[in-house]
Amino acid sequence: SVNGTQYIPKASRETIGLSSEHIGCLITVPSGQSLLVGFSNGGRSSTRMSKGWAEFTLKTQLKAGDRVRFEVVSAKREDNVMHLKMIKL
């Protein structure tokens, strides 16, 4: 989604090790810039990337239909922030 929210399905949360203790993610984009995006609970089946997502899509010029992959750089629970790397496909 290129609006204000992006959903992370439950299966993907489990695959990347996202826990309820993570409050957001720091995403490094191809330009090298890092942007902070907050998480909020989307219910039992998903987590939302919400606060900061709209700004993230603007700064990275993401449009509807663009495909990206996020790779986990670090997901230490004590940091409370998951570090991701974005790769445009």
Side-chain angles (χ1 to χ4, degrees):
S1 170
V2 291
N3 58 18
T5 303
Q6 175 63 44
Y7 288 89
I8 304 169
K10 181 179 180 181
S12 295
R13 284 192 328 223
E14 292 169 355
T15 299
I16 64 174
L18 179 61
S19 77
S20 61
E21 296 170 15
H22 290 110
I23 59 170
C25 59
L26 189 63
I27 304 172
T28 302
V29 298
S31 69
Q33 182 180 17
S34 292
L35 303 165
L36 187 61
V37 176
F39 292 140
S40 57
N41 189 352
R44 294 178 61 174
S45 62
S46 68
T47 296
R48 295 181 304 194
M49 296 171 87
S50 52
K51 186 174 183 176
W53 180 254
E55 179 184 0
F56 174 80
T57 60
L58 288 173
K59 287 190 175 186
T60 58
Q61 299 179 348
L62 284 179
K63 298 182 252 2
D66 285 350
R67 293 177 38 143
V68 297
R69 180 176 73 220
F70 294 100
E71 293 183 353
V72 177
V73 175
S74 171
K76 297 177 186 172
R77 289 185 182 188
E78 61 270 13
D79 291 344
N80 288 341
V81 175
M82 180 171 274
H83 298 259
L84 304 174
K85 177 179 164 183
M86 182 190 98
I87 300 168
K88 270 195 167 183
L89 302 176

